[in-house]
Amino acid sequence: MGDKDGKSSPSKKNKKGKDMDELKKEVPITEHKMSIEECCRKFNTDIVQGLTNAKAAEFLIRDGPNCLTPPPTTPEWIKFCRQLFGGFSILLWTGAILCFLAYAIQAATEDEPAGDNLYLGIVLSVVVVVTGCFSYFQEAKSSKIMESFKNMVPQQALVIREGEKMTINAEEVVAGDLVEVKGGDRIPADLRVVSAHGCKVDNSSLTGESEPQSRSPDCTHDNPLETRNVAFFSTNCVEGTARGIVVCTGDRTVMGRIATLTSGLESGKTPIAKEIEHFIHLITGVAVFLGITFFILAVCLGYTWLEAVIFLIGIIVANVPEGLLATVTVCLTLTAKRMAKKNCLVKNLEAVETLGSTSTICSDKTGTLTQNRMTVAHMWFDNQIHEADTTEDQSGASFDKTSASWAALARVAALCNRAVFKAGQDQLPILKRDTAGDASESALLKCIELSCGSVKQIREKNKKVAEIPFNSTNKYQLSVHETEDPNDNRYLLVMKGAPERILDRCTTIIIQGKEQPMDEEMKESFQNAYMELGGLGERVLGFCHLLMPEDQYPKGFAFDCDDVNFTTEGLCFVGLMSMIDPPRAAVPDAVGKCRSAGIKVIMVTGDHPITAKAIAKGVGIISEGNETVEDIASRLNIPVSQVNPRDAKACVIHGTDLKELSQDQMDDILRNHTEIVFARTSPQQKLIIVEGCQRLGAIVAVTGDGVNDSPALKKADIGVAMGISGSDVSKQAADMILLDDNFASIVTGVEEGRLIFDNLKKSIAYTLTSNIPEITPFLLFIIVNIPLPLGTITILCIDLGTDMVPAISLAYEAAESDIMKRQPRNPTRDKLVNERLISIAYGQIGMIQALGGFFSYFVILAENGFLPSILVGIRLNWDDRACNDLEDSYGQQWTYEQRKIVEFTCHTAFFVSIVVVQWADVIVCKTRRNSVFQQGMKNKILIFGLFEETALAAFLSYTPGMDVALRMFPLKPSWWFCAVPYSVLIFVYDEIRKLLIRRNPGGWVERETYY
Amino acid sequence: MFCLTMYVMLQTLDDHKPTWQDRLGTPGMMIRPRGDTMEINTHNTESWDMYTKTLDNFLSPYNNSLQAEKNDECTPDQYFIQADSGDVKNNPKHSCQFNRTLLQECSGLDDHTYGYQAGKPCIIIKLNRVIGMLPGKDGQAPFVTCGAKKEDSDKIGEVAYYPENGIFNLMYYPYYGKKAQVNYSQPLVAIKFLNITLNEDINIECRIISNNIPPGSERDKFAGKVSFKLRINTKQ
């Protein structure tokens, strides 16, 4: 992508960078501010006739087809190569190449070169290829290529050209075309509306807010995203019809810009990839240091240069932990699987850990924190605010339903309501049912259905005789019904709408079922209730009714709704109902957990500041008792400018203010406020917020579901998309998908991520430890000329055989303490592998292991007649094929083959000893601070691992034919026990170390050895 | 810790006999002069001079005078067993004489060139020492037999063995280890190729024949057998 272009030409990269900056700026549409005539002039079009066919064809050639450039997909083989040559694999490849090089040198200089280096090189290559394939298929399974942007382009569009309506392929729509859309259509391009009839569009794919917005020809806002007279490409027209002039097509549309921005963004390396890189540096450092040291030593000892080079390569390669790549991959895969079970689908293996490192979560509001469903939250009747149950499972508290006022309010809400349940959902719980109708009415419908039973029956009993639908000038909706009582011939007029408009029409109010005159006191308490509910960020509706006097409106009265021939004044106020998209039940708890885990949760939403703040307070993003600057100002009754911003921990920032902020101011806000809400943000601003957090060194997770979130999702260290409500685009840009749309699953992700980070440390400590007993034999072989104590094949048996399962089993280890109670790790200080880990693994446990191995080696040689005293310097004769009467300490004589069998038996015993000491190592690696006795041995996989490695070692040693196949020989039973004292020593040593760490927190032992 | 365990381990070892000898079931065989290929030219002294020197060196401890001085004369054809009486070690143990003269024409005493000059070279064969090994049961001594590999079988000619029949006399067994039996003289067998085909590579293999020495494994070319290539050039 951008990266590739950059390599081919630097100038192009600059251009690309400039483009990206350009894209991050706000939408440059200005047509909404122009008059229709200006607009027509600009596009050389006619408001009635549309474009001429010739012009359209010309524009089509000039601008290209009206479709989005699909995001450049990476060819499969490049992805495969990335798996094959990325990160850790490089280390192994280097090792393999060095092996082949050493073999080539040997082949060129010796008659019968030892095959060891060749085999090692081959095995290393095989390991890389196999693990590469494994992770490739793992990822291919999780991430399907979704060409979602492409799918969003509508297939057909109705345009007017040369005065004729014609249906053309949407791709052929050009700027200046006159387009007609109706309910159910997808908008074919960005339109400047020129005329509309009850047109409502659903901008959710762009803004994340699913509330339909009406469209009209008037410019209502300077911001093109807010104004009513622009309809956007690939959003939906829900109802009504509209006609508009196309102002942008294809990639130049608002949606196209987001798409291009998203696919142009480079997401950086994952934290775990950085950690592995750091680890490789450390390992390489140690390997090269050891290699060079012994190279110099070897030269000093009189080896030839070539021999010394072979030793150098041998030592460097021996430092490569062959099995670790596979171990890490498997550990991550296991965690990914475990997370998938808990509804977190991870698309990119490395992202498994990222949530654990996350220090900031930027969460979208609608659909992520909230249920994305308007629900009645409060009611005001009988001069009192009542709280409705907004939980998803109706487990919350209910209110007193016995009041006659409530019965009246419910009746008005049920009757003055056009929403209906869609058919065939009777078995579903009421809240889950689909409705036809607008969000507020659906909310009322569900609320009444829940508390008063079937709305359908109520409506059947009170037949509707007339109706005036809602419009923006009246700001009310009314309908006239027959009453329930067949003897009562009066008509019932019910009305709902903006509370202040409703109040204006009322002269009385129902209190406890009795009509009372509306006095000033009542009006004031109405105002207070209205303010309070509005302050909660809720949408408030007022309700009133009137039983029409029979003398004026007898039965059969012809109500005329167009030319209103009945009274709409002097009504009786019934109550207020307020609605909100309530937070999901699990969210406050999840936010609290993130808080205690030291993760800053920022809300970034396209919704209004008041609603956003209310929800933020509801879910704990702004915690109780924390105030914004505005809150402090209103509490102290001083102007906002006099409040010290440092006093306010919380803040709510409006998108338009955000636009004005400089980078420093932005950093200042992010640094100094712990509880931040960004409201009315555009997709570009979301991206800027994410970048701001990253600039401050935070590892940022972004959750979101809409297309508007996708640039931020892509830019984030880990983008989390919603599986059910999320758009395909957001899912594609994300690294992780919450299958149940539940923000609480993020907490699971954080927990799993932190756990795997800790457990990877343990796995690596365990795996690295056995490196020392693997290298030291070779070093001593060079330096003191003893027969080789451990061969290449046995080393591979350890690294790729016996060590594997125990190392992987550490991934199943339970957390030592409450990992959700500590701060997120600091990426600059808390490394996956640090010097202390290397020092423990290599310097301490590893050394004890090496001694254990050497002990078995000396035991076997001594028991066969070669006492340690004659071993030093024996190597030249020992490895001389022509010497077939080598004398041992007892005077016996050995042929070459006989003593080689003893040597290979030593290799086997050394190998078994490493298995035995690794028993202790895996047990001590289970914990980093706690004692094993505190932690327990509950990890069944680990216990299985212990048995498995032992069984494998026995199998390798005793299976007939292994002497030929792997040059491993059966051991006498007593030789199995040689390393046991060392195993015990390791256990005791490490328990004491951990005891000291626990006894003296922050003491010397902790500073020097806690990894 | 390491020193402690090493010390404990070393304490468990016997001074005179290693704990395990199972890898030495079939003793190895070696020839002197060493090497798997011998090419000599009868006219060129330098081509075999080093071999005779090696043999001179190798055989010098077997000089009759030296043997008589250090070792005992034993009863032939039976094992020379010097048992310990319980915990009291019967040390040092005596060794039997193996006089250089037993090798007769290959002793290098009469013919200082060991037949190399005449194109009838001597090769000395020895069996590796293994503590406590009692080769040949029922009084049948193990002996060496040499032959050519298949395609060369008609070219090897007559082979003479010294001592008689190429036997390792039973009285040299068992071996008690270099600490107990300091002056042990390893028995030898010399072979002499009397009319080997000249100017050609000949592959020769010698094996030990004994009724209680198992044939060595296929992989070990020196267990109970030894092979080498011989070429005697007569052209100048």
Side-chain angles (χ1 to χ4, degrees):
Chain A
M1 295 190 307
D3 180 42
K4 218 160 53 186
D5 292 342
K7 269 172 200 155
S8 58
S9 80
S11 64
K12 210 170 170 188
K13 186 175 180 177
N14 288 341
K15 184 172 165 274
K16 185 108 192 170
K18 212 170 138 198
D19 284 356
M20 293 301 288
D21 287 341
E22 192 62 38
L23 284 171
K24 280 181 200 166
K25 294 212 180 103
E26 293 307 311
V27 183
I29 292 179
T30 53
E31 283 82 0
H32 62 289
K33 288 190 237 171
M34 300 179 184
S35 70
I36 293 172
E37 289 70 33
E38 278 178 293
C39 226
C40 290
R41 263 200 307 282
K42 183 176 175 190
F43 293 104
N44 288 321
T45 186
D46 186 278
I47 189 66
V48 182
Q49 299 287 314
L51 285 176
T52 60
N53 278 328
K55 273 260 157 51
E58 185 191 314
F59 287 162
L60 187 62
I61 291 166
R62 187 190 67 190
D63 296 337
N66 173 35
C67 62
L68 298 179
T69 322
T73 47
T74 327
E76 289 299 300
W77 68 270
I78 289 191
K79 285 193 193 163
F80 185 63
C81 287
R82 261 189 217 152
Q83 293 292 352
L84 223 48
F85 299 107
F88 211 84
S89 313
I90 288 292
L91 187 65
L92 295 197
W93 279 122
T94 318
I97 290 166
L98 285 177
C99 281
F100 291 131
L101 184 69
Y103 181 74
I105 295 177
Q106 283 174 318
T109 53
E110 293 169 29
D111 295 336
E112 280 184 75
D116 285 357
N117 275 321
L118 183 64
Y119 303 144
L120 188 56
I122 292 171
V123 169
L124 283 177
S125 320
V126 169
V127 168
V128 192
V129 172
V130 169
T131 18
C133 293
F134 181 77
S135 32
Y136 171 74
F137 285 116
Q138 272 300 323
E139 290 198 358
K141 237 173 29 184
S142 322
S143 69
K144 282 173 207 125
I145 312 302
M146 297 175 284
E147 296 200 337
S148 36
F149 280 119
K150 215 175 188 175
N151 299 338
M152 286 170 66
V153 174
Q155 295 302 303
Q156 301 289 319
L158 186 66
V159 299
I160 300 167
R161 285 181 185 170
E162 296 182 356
E164 276 178 54
K165 285 190 183 181
M166 51 205 278
T167 303
I168 59 166
N169 205 323
E171 287 194 3
E172 291 162 18
V173 171
V174 297
D177 259 333
L178 202 54
V179 173
E180 260 194 27
V181 288
K182 57 177 191 305
D185 281 354
R186 254 186 177 172
I187 314 279
D190 284 0
L191 301 181
R192 158 73 162 91
V193 177
V194 294
S195 66
H197 294 283
C199 175
K200 281 192 174 180
V201 290
D202 175 3
N203 273 355
S204 62
S205 66
L206 196 59
T207 62
E209 309 300 319
S210 57
E211 182 70 5
Q213 298 168 358
S214 57
R215 283 293 173 257
S216 63
D218 326 309
C219 174
T220 54
H221 204 286
D222 276 355
N223 186 341
L225 288 174
E226 306 261 352
T227 183
R228 287 251 173 94
N229 61 353
V230 179
F232 297 103
F233 174 53
S234 92
T235 58
N236 283 316
C237 178
V238 221
E239 56 182 60
T241 57
R243 189 181 278 204
I245 298 171
V246 173
V247 293
C248 295
T249 55
D251 286 335
R252 289 169 300 281
T253 59
V254 172
M255 188 66 76
R257 288 164 61 90
I258 296 175
T260 324
L261 181 59
T262 307
S263 60
L265 282 174
E266 290 284 327
S267 35
K269 273 187 188 146
T270 58
I272 194 80
K274 285 183 199 151
E275 292 304 319
I276 285 177
E277 201 166 88
H278 177 248
F279 168 57
I280 292 174
H281 288 158
L282 270 179
I283 283 287
T284 323
V286 172
V288 170
F289 169 75
L290 270 181
I292 301 283
T293 311
F294 281 86
F295 175 77
I296 295 169
L297 257 176
V299 172
C300 295
L301 284 170
Y303 287 98
T304 64
W305 285 97
L306 269 181
E307 278 174 316
V309 167
I310 293 197
F311 290 154
L312 171 75
I313 293 176
I315 292 169
I316 292 179
V317 172
N319 268 293
V320 176
E322 293 90 351
L324 205 52
L325 174 62
T327 309
V328 170
T329 311
V330 173
C331 285
L332 290 178
T333 310
L334 287 174
T335 309
K337 287 233 161 106
R338 204 155 51 191
M339 287 167 94
K341 261 191 212 153
K342 294 178 182 170
N343 290 321
C344 288
L345 183 74
V346 182
K347 276 170 61 188
N348 170 2
L349 260 195
E350 286 179 347
V352 165
E353 189 276 331
T354 314
L355 263 186
S357 309
T358 298
S359 52
T360 305
I361 297 177
C362 294
S363 179
D364 179 38
K365 179 181 76 75
T366 314
T368 312
L369 298 173
T370 65
Q371 301 169 16
N372 198 11
R373 183 170 58 199
M374 272 292 168
T375 309
V376 174
H378 291 95
M379 284 161 260
W380 182 77
F381 56 84
D382 293 347
N383 198 9
Q384 209 179 342
I385 290 177
H386 300 263
E387 199 171 318
D389 183 4
T390 53
T391 54
E392 287 135 291
D393 52 0
Q394 288 297 301
S395 57
S398 194
F399 56 94
D400 176 28
K401 290 176 186 163
T402 53
S403 165
S405 314
W406 160 243
L409 181 59
R411 187 172 59 177
V412 180
L415 295 179
C416 188
N417 189 334
R418 298 171 71 190
V420 286
F421 287 113
K422 286 184 183 162
Q425 301 187 92
D426 294 340
Q427 71 289 351
L428 284 174
I430 292 165
L431 285 176
K432 292 262 162 65
R433 292 186 200 166
D434 270 345
T435 55
D438 115 323
S440 322
E441 297 207 322
S442 303
L444 292 172
L445 173 67
K446 284 179 181 172
C447 173
I448 304 301
E449 180 95 10
L450 268 176
S451 48
C452 303
S454 173
V455 171
K456 208 172 157 196
Q457 281 175 18
I458 302 177
R459 288 183 188 164
E460 275 166 7
K461 283 185 201 156
N462 300 270
K463 281 220 180 74
K464 194 189 285 178
V465 287
E467 180 175 39
I468 301 178
F470 184 89
N471 71 49
S472 44
T473 32
N474 292 343
K475 299 222 163 146
Y476 69 77
Q477 169 186 1
L478 77 74
S479 54
V480 180
H481 299 259
E482 291 168 3
T483 54
E484 269 177 52
D485 185 354
N487 303 322
D488 188 352
N489 283 333
R490 289 178 299 177
Y491 285 105
L492 174 69
L493 182 148
V494 288
M495 183 191 273
K496 79 159 192 268
E500 65 279 7
R501 296 292 180 95
I502 298 293
L503 190 73
D504 288 348
R505 295 170 187 273
C506 293
T507 49
T508 56
I509 181 166
I510 276 196
I511 300 289
Q512 302 293 354
K514 302 205 175 63
E515 271 192 59
Q516 293 180 2
M518 178 73 82
D519 51 18
E520 281 309 310
E521 197 188 330
M522 248 334 141
K523 279 190 178 167
E524 200 185 315
S525 76
F526 160 86
Q527 277 302 338
N528 289 341
Y530 183 27
M531 291 298 284
E532 187 176 342
L533 295 177
L536 291 173
E538 296 176 3
R539 181 184 304 163
V540 191
L541 288 175
F543 297 82
C544 62
H545 69 188
L546 178 70
L547 276 169
M548 302 177 112
E550 201 178 354
D551 48 348
Q552 287 179 42
Y553 307 100
K555 201 164 172 71
F557 183 87
F559 291 96
D560 185 347
C561 294
D562 292 329
D563 184 13
V564 180
N565 59 353
F566 49 92
T567 181
T568 56
E569 307 261 320
L571 309 176
C572 171
F573 194 83
V574 179
L576 296 172
M577 285 175 105
S578 66
M579 280 146 290
I580 197 162
D581 178 12
R584 290 166 183 271
V587 171
D589 190 36
V591 171
K593 278 186 182 160
C594 289
R595 266 281 150 65
S596 62
I599 301 171
K600 191 168 169 179
V601 185
I602 296 177
M603 182 194 278
V604 183
T605 176
D607 209 342
H608 293 279
I610 298 175
T611 320
K613 189 173 162 191
I615 294 292
K617 283 196 164 160
V619 299
I621 286 180
I622 295 180
S623 48
E624 236 170 280
N626 273 353
E627 295 175 305
T628 62
V629 175
E630 292 78 16
D631 290 337
I632 295 177
S634 70
R635 179 166 54 86
L636 301 175
N637 228 341
I638 52 173
V640 171
S641 54
Q642 286 182 14
V643 181
N644 179 4
R646 293 279 189 282
D647 292 343
K649 281 189 173 167
C651 71
V652 178
I653 293 165
H654 197 281
T656 44
D657 300 337
L658 187 59
K659 223 185 288 179
E660 317 284 305
L661 291 180
S662 70
Q663 210 176 67
D664 289 340
Q665 284 170 312
M666 177 84 181
D667 289 357
D668 198 51
I669 287 171
L670 291 173
R671 205 178 288 131
N672 293 317
H673 295 278
T674 49
E675 301 174 344
I676 311 176
V677 171
F678 291 99
R680 294 316 265 175
T681 48
S682 66
Q684 283 83 357
Q685 286 173 335
K686 289 193 179 193
L687 179 63
I688 289 168
I689 293 165
V690 171
E691 284 176 337
C693 293
Q694 286 176 333
R695 206 166 41 237
L696 296 181
I699 291 178
V700 184
V702 169
T703 63
D705 55 354
V707 174
N708 59 326
D709 299 317
S710 54
L713 286 171
K714 184 88 178 279
K715 182 69 198 177
D717 294 287
I718 178 165
V720 184
M722 297 294 144
I724 303 170
S725 62
S727 58
D728 285 351
V729 183
S730 68
K731 286 185 203 169
Q732 195 185 18
D735 304 296
M736 186 184 272
I737 295 166
L738 299 184
L739 294 176
D740 56 356
D741 282 18
N742 192 346
F743 184 77
S745 306
I746 289 185
V747 178
T748 315
V750 171
E751 201 167 355
E752 291 290 348
R754 289 187 174 188
L755 185 59
I756 195 62
F757 189 79
D758 282 2
N759 285 348
L760 270 184
K761 271 188 181 183
K762 296 172 183 175
S763 273
I764 291 176
Y766 171 79
T767 315
L768 283 187
T769 308
S770 61
N771 248 6
I772 284 296
E774 285 163 11
I775 300 169
T776 40
F778 189 57
L779 299 183
L780 286 181
F781 167 78
I782 298 171
I783 300 300
V784 291
N785 284 318
I786 53 175
L788 186 64
L790 186 67
T792 313
I793 292 171
T794 30
I795 290 180
L796 290 177
C797 285
I798 296 167
D799 283 347
L800 301 176
T802 58
D803 265 5
M804 283 296 241
V805 178
I808 291 167
S809 76
L810 285 171
Y812 286 95
E813 197 54 40
E816 277 175 71
S817 54
D818 195 346
I819 41 179
M820 293 306 282
K821 286 270 156 63
R822 62 176 197 226
Q823 292 295 304
R825 75 185 178 90
N826 179 333
T828 50
R829 268 190 294 116
D830 307 335
K831 291 289 180 190
L832 180 66
V833 175
N834 52 27
E835 294 73 13
R836 294 187 295 283
L837 187 147
I838 300 261
S839 128
I840 280 283
Y842 275 13
Q844 297 167 45
I845 312 286
M847 287 300 171
I848 301 178
Q849 293 198 336
L851 289 180
F854 273 104
F855 176 64
S856 331
Y857 164 80
F858 283 126
V859 166
I860 288 174
L861 281 175
E863 292 195 343
N864 274 290
F866 293 92
L867 296 183
S869 50
I870 70 156
L871 287 178
V872 174
I874 206 175
R875 181 175 78 93
L876 274 184
N877 285 328
W878 184 280
D879 288 339
D880 179 4
R881 280 174 196 279
C883 176
N884 282 294
D885 53 357
L886 186 75
E887 206 174 300
D888 65 17
S889 308
Y890 290 89
Q892 304 188 98
Q893 291 169 319
W894 294 72
T895 67
Y896 176 79
E897 201 61 36
Q898 284 165 344
R899 57 180 189 264
K900 276 291 163 185
I901 288 178
V902 172
E903 183 187 320
F904 289 125
T905 312
C906 285
H907 292 183
T908 315
F910 208 114
F911 158 71
V912 165
S913 299
I914 293 180
V915 170
V916 171
V917 287
Q918 286 284 68
W919 291 344
D921 193 30
V922 75
I923 291 173
V924 302
C925 282
K926 271 165 68 76
T927 57
R928 294 187 296 143
R929 180 184 289 271
N930 286 355
S931 160
V932 172
F933 300 105
Q934 293 169 314
Q935 180 82 352
M937 290 291 286
K938 287 177 213 123
N939 186 344
K940 291 203 183 77
I941 311 286
L942 187 137
I943 292 170
F944 165 76
L946 285 176
F947 283 106
E948 186 266 357
E949 66 171 332
T950 315
L952 181 61
F955 173 84
L956 288 174
S957 169
Y958 293 111
T959 309
M962 278 300 168
D963 52 344
V964 186
L966 294 179
R967 307 247 62 186
M968 293 178 89
F969 289 85
L971 297 183
K972 313 260 180 232
S974 64
W975 293 340
W976 279 77
F977 298 99
C978 295
V980 171
Y982 294 89
S983 210
V984 175
L985 177 68
I986 288 173
F987 183 77
V988 173
Y989 176 83
D990 211 62
E991 278 295 316
I992 292 175
R993 181 180 72 86
K994 284 186 268 197
L995 182 72
L996 290 176
I997 289 180
R998 291 197 301 275
R999 281 281 161 82
N1000 306 310
W1004 180 84
V1005 183
E1006 174 156 7
R1007 283 200 312 275
E1008 295 301 319
T1009 68
Y1010 183 69
Y1011 55 87
Chain B
M1 177 81 181
F2 183 68
C3 298
L4 179 77
T5 49
M6 283 301 283
Y7 176 77
V8 170
M9 183 267 293
L10 292 175
Q11 290 308 300
T12 65
L13 298 179
D14 189 306
D15 271 354
H16 301 286
K17 193 174 179 202
T19 319
W20 307 103
Q21 289 180 296
D22 48 353
R23 294 295 167 204
L24 295 172
T26 312
M29 276 172 83
M30 271 295 272
I31 56 166
R32 285 291 185 277
R34 274 169 191 263
D36 52 2
T37 314
M38 260 188 267
E39 187 170 348
I40 53 175
N41 191 315
T42 48
H43 297 287
N44 184 359
T45 320
E46 273 172 27
S47 71
W48 44 263
D49 197 36
M50 57 204 179
Y51 294 135
T52 59
K53 286 215 173 90
T54 314
L55 289 176
D56 279 339
N57 267 335
F58 179 70
L59 289 176
S60 60
Y62 290 94
N63 285 338
N64 292 16
S65 52
L66 221 52
Q67 288 291 319
E69 186 184 315
K70 288 180 175 167
N71 293 345
D72 303 354
E73 275 187 62
C74 313
T75 326
D77 301 329
Q78 64 177 57
Y79 295 129
F80 182 43
I81 292 176
Q82 306 166 68
D84 300 324
S85 48
D87 285 345
V88 186
K89 300 272 188 206
N90 173 20
N91 287 344
K93 300 199 190 313
H94 299 279
S95 305
C96 298
Q97 292 178 0
F98 186 93
N99 289 323
R100 191 168 174 176
T101 44
L102 282 173
L103 300 179
Q104 300 167 32
E105 289 189 30
C106 283
S107 67
L109 299 172
D110 308 325
D111 175 6
H112 291 292
T113 67
Y114 297 90
Y116 283 83
Q117 197 166 30
K120 298 175 179 174
C122 280
I123 306 274
I124 290 174
I125 294 171
K126 67 192 184 75
L127 193 63
N128 279 354
R129 293 191 294 260
V130 176
I131 291 174
M133 181 177 68
L134 297 169
K137 58 181 184 212
D138 311 325
Q140 288 182 346
F143 63 94
V144 173
T145 170
C146 291
K149 299 242 173 88
K150 255 186 202 158
E151 61 276 15
D152 299 335
S153 54
D154 48 345
K155 298 173 187 158
I156 188 169
E158 200 183 333
V159 181
Y161 296 89
Y162 314 102
E164 206 88 343
N165 300 330
I167 63 161
F168 292 111
N169 200 294
L170 293 182
M171 67 178 172
Y172 299 108
Y173 300 97
Y175 173 54
Y176 284 103
K178 75 174 177 191
K179 207 163 179 186
Q181 209 168 9
V182 183
N183 295 321
Y184 181 72
S185 294
Q186 199 169 6
L188 306 172
V189 166
I191 53 171
K192 191 175 175 78
F193 298 96
L194 297 177
N195 53 351
I196 191 165
T197 309
L198 302 174
N199 303 319
E200 262 186 75
D201 281 347
I202 294 165
N203 289 297
I204 295 152
E205 185 182 84
C206 297
R207 353 177 114 255
I208 182 86
I209 307 287
S210 166
N211 48 15
N212 68 351
I213 294 181
S217 82
E218 278 301 303
R219 300 177 63 89
D220 193 346
K221 284 183 277 184
F222 295 92
K225 61 190 177 212
V226 60
S227 45
F228 53 94
K229 194 156 77 181
L230 192 61
R231 182 187 178 102
I232 296 161
N233 292 327
T234 51
K235 290 168 191 146
Q236 289 237 313

